[in-house]
Amino acid sequence: MTTPADHDHKPSNFLRQIIENDLSLDTYAHRRWAGSPGDAAHHAAGQPDPAKIRTRFPPEPNGYLHVGHAKSICLNFGLARDYGGVCHMRFDDTNPEKEDTEYVNSILDAVQWLGFGWQANGTSHLYQASDYFGFMYRAAEYLVEAGHAYVDEQTPEEMRVNRGDFGKPGVNSPFRSRTPAENLARFRDMRDGKLADGAAVLRAKIDMASPNINMRDPAIYRIRRATHHHTGDQWCIYPMYTFAHPIEDALEQITHSICTLEFEDQRPFYDWLMARLIEGGLLASPPPKQYEFARLNLTYVITSKRKLAQLVNEHKVSGWDDPRMPTIVGLRRRGYTPESIQLFAERIGVTKSDSWIDYSTLEGCLREDLENKAHRGMAVLDPVKLVLTNWAEVFGSEAYTEDCHAPVLPHHGDDQPAPALRHFKIGNAVWIEREDFAEVPPKGYKRLFPGNVVRLKAGYVIECTGCVKDANGHITEVHAKVIPNTKSGTPGADSVKAKAAITWVSVADGVSADVRLYDRLFTEAQPDAGGKDFLASLNPNSLQVVSAFVEPSLAAALPDQKFQFERHGYFVADRLDHAASKPVFNKVTGLRDTWGK
Ligand code: ATP
Ligand code: MG
């Protein structure tokens, strides 16, 4: 099995092969790094780059990160870590309309929580693309002067029609033959606010007949009067993503620019732009290269910030950190650990073709991570009272209680030190699961029914005698007799054979708790595939809150502490709502995979 710790045994993939090949060929060995992002001259004056490779994680700060981003974070930071490189944390904040500082902080938190950082070689590699607006403008002027870009003043509709389509080559714009001097003057008019929003765009001059529509003179700058969260009203023109992104990579001396498959058709433009700006002496060589991998699609989950925002804004969930949300804050509150998410990213690997990963894979990683580290405890989620009717007779008083204990973690073999223990009391009444008693036992039933003998786990062996019902026939109490001298761990405890061991919590020291039982948020495996209305398949039963009883060691949990509730699965003390006086637990997942069963 691969864990995040043993890098040497990681399965290879096409990206690892590309990097290993580049390292063996010294493709990037002679680069220089000036200690901060910059143009060719800036880096030429710097030191040989101490980083063998540079990758980047470049989110747009327009929402909270989700499990798909987690894959990208683990991939980019993980490759840099494994190959002596550095991964840059970069906010791709070139689009002024949708961005917000609230998201910036949540994104930084998410990356750090997942176990990664951007400090390396004494430098904080935390960047924002809007800091490069000045260079981007200069690069655009260079393209204009070199005859590689022109200001197009066709209407958006004319531009759309003249772009052509798959089967039809595009038609040159009447503005395409303007001289560099005319274009420069007009581009400066754009910058200086002399043209209305949408009245003109700057386009790269490439080939209107290219079979790749992205190469048919793509727009690289547009006019948009919008206040940017970082640069304010300094600019009324903004670079297009396809122009901005390669430049961001190049200024930061990125070597391997890893993105999702939908950008594959943009790669020729990426390379075209790099070549032009290196020719002009603006960017250092060798340029970064773009590689595409398949995005994560997870069954029963939506991975689109826009759609997740809709769930929040329409109050379908309690917020971005609702434990049913696939956001990193949601997964965290649900009880997922950074290690389990890293393991998941490692296990699903990277491929070149789109596929769906089963949600149970993510849950399996969580179980694997928590199996040996989550403390055990007993909780009764659907309680009914069990009264030990001979208690006073055996122990001298109804009020008498006795200490019991059990290991906090399962004990693995005699060569290990004695396990730490948790303590709880047993008295004349305990809470048991309602399903652990049957007045008339179904075939093969081994738990409580009149005449049957079972063990209260880590406590006494008892013999069931019957039950009490209310006027409606609803069982209000189960009755049993305690069998003396059978307490677990005492001499002769096993002299009476029990048919089963059941979990319980004492009425004497059990603490009442709210336990939130979660189910998948959607009833369909691919809730938004093919443009489907994902809100139509929201699961109305995705949250059920039960009043449970938990043993004292669970009530004393720290917020965010994970447990295995014996027989029920993995639970976490809610980060925000849990208190020792009023415990609140979230169910992370069951003990075994029950999906589709
Ligand atoms: P969304 O559509 O949810 O807004 P996005 O791709 O627009 O996602 P960005 O903030 O631009 O979000 O993404 C930052 C990085 O995360 C990008 O490099 C992107 O490729 C990667 N990423 C986003 N979604 C996924 C996914 N489902 N699987 C893998 N990587 C992803
Ligand atoms: Mg995006």
Side-chain angles (χ1 to χ4, degrees):
M1 191 204 76
T2 310
T3 68
D6 41 271
H7 309 149
D8 298 342
H9 301 98
K10 291 219 174 106
S12 192
N13 60 50
F14 76 97
L15 291 171
R16 288 181 174 273
Q17 283 162 16
I18 288 167
I19 292 170
E20 285 164 19
N21 190 47
D22 282 331
L23 290 176
S24 74
L25 295 176
D26 279 349
T27 313
Y28 297 102
H30 307 293
R31 287 169 315 127
R32 302 184 87 79
W33 165 253
S36 58
D39 63 10
H42 177 74
H43 287 302
Q47 303 297 312
D49 194 342
K52 291 213 168 73
I53 61 166
R54 288 185 185 267
T55 57
R56 84 288 173 264
F57 175 64
E60 216 182 316
N62 63 349
Y64 282 70
L65 300 185
H66 52 62
V67 62
H69 296 107
K71 173 179 177 178
S72 179
I73 292 168
C74 293
L75 179 62
N76 282 293
F77 283 93
L79 288 171
R81 174 196 61 202
D82 292 352
Y83 292 103
V86 173
C87 180
H88 294 192
M89 175 70 227
R90 179 203 307 153
F91 288 104
D92 205 327
D93 60 350
T94 53
N95 183 356
E97 284 133 273
K98 299 184 294 183
E99 294 154 7
D100 201 310
T101 35
E102 174 200 346
Y103 301 130
V104 168
N105 295 328
S106 81
I107 289 170
L108 294 177
D109 272 356
V111 172
Q112 286 178 308
W113 178 76
L114 276 173
F116 300 103
W118 42 87
Q119 300 283 338
N121 308 313
T123 304
S124 169
H125 299 280
L126 172 59
Y127 303 118
Q128 50 196 10
S130 54
D131 284 342
Y132 311 145
F133 281 160
F135 179 88
M136 289 173 189
Y137 180 79
R138 200 179 118 211
E141 282 209 349
Y142 165 75
L143 292 180
V144 169
E145 286 169 330
H148 295 310
Y150 62 99
V151 173
D152 194 354
E153 295 178 54
Q154 295 182 99
T155 65
E157 178 57 16
E158 286 165 342
M159 263 184 256
R160 193 188 60 74
V161 171
N162 289 337
R163 188 172 295 122
D165 55 34
F166 258 130
K168 200 168 92 210
V171 175
N172 284 353
S173 162
F175 298 93
R176 202 174 194 267
S177 50
R178 280 175 156 170
T179 65
E182 282 175 300
N183 280 315
L184 189 60
R186 213 53 188 147
F187 185 43
R188 288 181 177 169
D189 286 346
M190 284 172 64
R191 178 198 60 187
D192 296 341
K194 294 187 182 152
L195 294 167
D197 282 16
V201 292
L202 184 70
R203 296 177 77 172
K205 191 171 181 177
I206 310 179
D207 178 7
M208 288 304 290
S210 171
N212 181 345
I213 292 176
N214 294 288
M215 295 297 272
R216 295 185 188 169
D217 293 5
I220 59 180
Y221 256 100
R222 64 193 169 126
I223 307 170
R224 181 80 186 88
R225 285 170 178 79
T227 304
H228 187 279
H229 81 271
H230 181 58
T231 57
D233 294 321
Q234 192 188 338
W235 297 92
C236 68
I237 56 172
Y238 288 95
M240 304 298 284
Y241 180 86
T242 45
F243 176 72
H245 200 87
I247 291 179
E248 295 159 25
D249 286 344
L251 293 175
E252 294 180 19
Q253 292 282 68
I254 299 303
T255 55
H256 301 81
S257 175
I258 300 165
C259 62
T260 43
L261 281 177
E262 62 271 25
F263 293 99
E264 196 167 4
D265 290 346
Q266 310 269 14
R267 186 168 9 104
F269 178 71
Y270 188 108
D271 293 339
W272 179 90
L273 183 62
M274 290 293 123
R276 296 295 79 75
L277 297 178
I278 289 173
E279 266 166 24
L282 277 80
L283 292 178
S285 180
K289 280 195 169 276
Q290 173 183 305
Y291 303 95
E292 307 87 21
F293 71 103
R295 57 182 283 120
L296 169 68
N297 296 309
L298 192 59
T299 58
Y300 300 100
V301 161
I302 275 177
T303 46
S304 149
K305 278 183 249 157
R306 184 179 58 77
K307 290 173 188 167
L308 294 174
Q310 200 179 336
L311 292 174
V312 174
N313 296 336
E314 296 181 15
H315 306 289
K316 306 294 184 195
V317 293
S318 65
W320 287 101
D321 67 348
D322 186 300
R324 291 166 294 181
M325 288 283 272
T327 50
I328 296 178
V329 281
L331 291 168
R332 177 178 183 185
R333 194 160 174 202
R334 178 72 171 265
Y336 278 89
T337 57
E339 293 82 0
S340 64
I341 296 172
Q342 287 181 31
L343 180 60
F344 174 69
E346 208 61 67
R347 185 156 295 166
I348 60 179
V350 283
T351 61
K352 288 278 284 172
S353 57
D354 273 319
S355 65
W356 284 77
I357 303 290
D358 205 275
Y359 194 80
S360 62
T361 307
L362 178 60
E363 293 184 316
C365 292
L366 192 269
R367 287 190 200 101
E368 238 173 88
D369 182 40
L370 290 187
E371 163 66 23
N372 295 317
K373 58 186 200 199
H375 287 184
R376 279 20 178 200
M378 288 197 282
V380 176
L381 303 186
D382 182 18
V384 63
K385 194 182 274 184
L386 168 83
V387 179
L388 298 169
T389 53
N390 63 339
W391 188 261
E393 201 182 301
V394 172
F395 295 108
S397 128
E398 289 295 355
Y400 176 79
T401 62
E402 199 165 310
D403 289 323
C404 299
H405 57 78
V408 298
L409 286 170
H411 194 46
H412 296 294
D414 293 336
D415 53 335
Q416 308 235 323
L421 298 175
R422 43 188 237 261
H423 297 269
F424 41 91
K425 293 188 190 314
I426 188 163
N428 68 344
V430 301
W431 302 108
I432 60 165
E433 296 290 347
R434 195 166 275 282
E435 64 170 23
D436 283 352
F437 172 76
E439 208 176 1
V440 181
K443 197 167 176 294
Y445 192 81
K446 294 196 171 60
R447 290 168 276 169
L448 292 167
F449 56 87
N452 201 33
V453 172
V454 309
R455 174 175 293 284
L456 294 175
K457 212 171 172 184
Y460 281 93
V461 176
I462 60 172
E463 178 178 347
C464 183
T465 54
C467 66
V468 177
K469 293 191 229 175
D470 66 14
N472 301 321
H474 185 71
I475 294 167
T476 53
E477 276 180 10
V478 175
H479 285 185
K481 289 189 159 146
V482 61
I483 302 179
N485 306 317
T486 57
K487 195 170 109 178
S488 295
T490 60
D494 294 330
S495 59
V496 181
K497 279 282 162 261
K499 290 285 193 317
I502 64 169
T503 53
W504 57 282
V505 169
S506 180
V507 171
D509 66 0
V511 181
S512 112
D514 278 349
V515 178
R516 301 162 175 166
L517 304 175
Y518 295 104
D519 197 356
R520 49 189 109 167
L521 189 52
F522 297 97
T523 53
E524 289 201 34
Q526 302 181 2
D528 57 348
K532 247 185 319 199
D533 173 17
F534 61 99
L535 294 179
S537 62
L538 268 176
N539 178 2
N541 304 313
S542 60
L543 169 60
Q544 189 199 348
V545 184
V546 298
S547 295
F549 288 99
V550 299
E551 62 168 83
S553 69
L554 296 181
L558 296 171
D560 206 33
Q561 194 177 348
K562 285 91 181 164
F563 294 91
Q564 186 188 110
F565 287 6
E566 291 186 29
R567 94 192 246 182
H568 290 298
Y570 292 100
F571 292 75
V572 63
D574 189 83
R575 289 177 64 205
L576 304 179
D577 300 334
H578 173 83
S581 55
K582 186 65 190 136
V584 178
F585 289 93
N586 303 327
K587 181 171 184 176
V588 201
T589 182
L591 288 179
R592 59 194 73 80
D593 182 17
T594 52
W595 284 82
K597 288 184 190 134

